[in-house]
Amino acid sequence: MAGKLTPPGCVWAQRPKHILLSVCLTDVKDPIIKVEPSKLYFKGVGGTDMKEHEVEMEFFKKIDVEKSRFAVRPREISFILEKEEEGPYWDRLLATKVKQPWLRIDFKNWKDEDDDEEEGQGQDLEEMMRQMGGLGGANAAGAPTAADMGDMTKKAYQRPSLDDLDIEDEEDDMPDLE
């Protein structure tokens, strides 16, 4: 174990077609990166202490090396790994079921499988309301109409001003703390 290098901290998230992976190591000098269909190898010097780090990840499933890409940035190395098979989310990133202390979920980029469907849900709701008659549709018997509610434009709403508040007077009424 004495000869083994420390793995850098890594975070990951996924989409139906991609794995988003970041090696969280700042100011990496001359990184060695090898992306293969079933694994990724990284070695480089970086971080605040400029130590050498190394990690090899064997993936849960295969990725498409030709369509995958990465970028070495000042604060991290970002990977977008194209899944070989689009479809359901992977159960985990690595082939091993053992939790790795250096690998965490990237919650800022994480999206659940069912989140993709919710993006267009607002349009579906509008379409459904249109089909059902919606709020502006057929008037139920006895329900008040806009004409019955009066003309709201005559009484324009005005936001109260903070100048109307008399804060200084209220402070004088408070007893001193002892």
Side-chain angles (χ1 to χ4, degrees):
M1 184 102 177
K4 191 172 181 179
L5 296 173
T6 308
C10 299
V11 293
W12 77 287
Q14 65 178 317
R15 301 285 188 280
K17 296 179 185 178
H18 305 93
I19 295 292
L20 307 169
L21 176 72
S22 294
V23 175
C24 304
L25 199 59
T26 58
D27 304 322
V28 177
K29 305 291 182 225
D30 304 319
I32 299 167
I33 299 169
K34 295 177 188 168
V35 181
E36 297 176 24
S38 60
K39 62 183 172 182
L40 179 136
Y41 174 80
F42 168 83
K43 185 175 182 179
V45 176
T48 54
D49 47 6
M50 294 308 279
K51 283 187 180 176
E52 192 170 24
H53 296 271
E54 178 180 42
V55 68
E56 185 170 10
M57 300 177 210
E58 191 166 331
F59 297 127
F60 180 67
K61 293 185 180 177
K62 292 189 182 270
I63 60 165
D64 187 340
V65 178
E66 297 298 318
K67 293 181 181 176
S68 298
R69 54 198 181 277
F70 67 88
V72 179
R73 298 193 168 110
R75 299 186 60 79
E76 66 185 8
I77 295 95
S78 301
F79 294 86
I80 298 178
L81 306 170
E82 186 91 17
K83 292 180 182 178
E84 198 171 79
E85 298 174 14
E86 179 184 347
Y89 277 24
W90 293 2
D91 295 341
R92 56 190 178 275
L93 177 64
L94 303 178
T96 179
K97 290 185 177 183
V98 178
K99 180 162 174 29
Q100 302 298 322
W102 48 267
L103 182 63
R104 298 184 323 265
I105 292 182
D106 185 359
F107 286 105
K108 71 176 183 169
N109 286 319
W110 190 268
K111 211 175 214 188
D112 288 330
E113 280 183 270
D114 52 351
D115 284 352
D116 292 339
E117 298 166 11
E118 292 177 10
E119 287 181 55
Q121 198 169 11
Q123 294 173 339
D124 293 342
L125 181 62
E126 288 177 24
E127 180 64 32
M128 185 175 74
M129 293 299 280
R130 230 179 279 118
Q131 290 174 353
M132 294 173 59
L135 297 172
N139 190 17
T145 63
D148 298 333
M149 292 186 185
D151 190 1
M152 296 295 284
T153 58
K154 292 179 183 171
K155 300 173 188 167
Y157 176 77
Q158 292 182 2
R159 187 185 319 195
S161 169
L162 292 177
D163 294 335
D164 296 339
L165 297 175
D166 205 5
I167 296 173
E168 292 175 11
D169 291 342
E170 290 177 16
E171 290 176 0
D172 293 340
D173 296 341
M174 297 292 290
D176 292 334
L177 294 175
E178 296 179 18

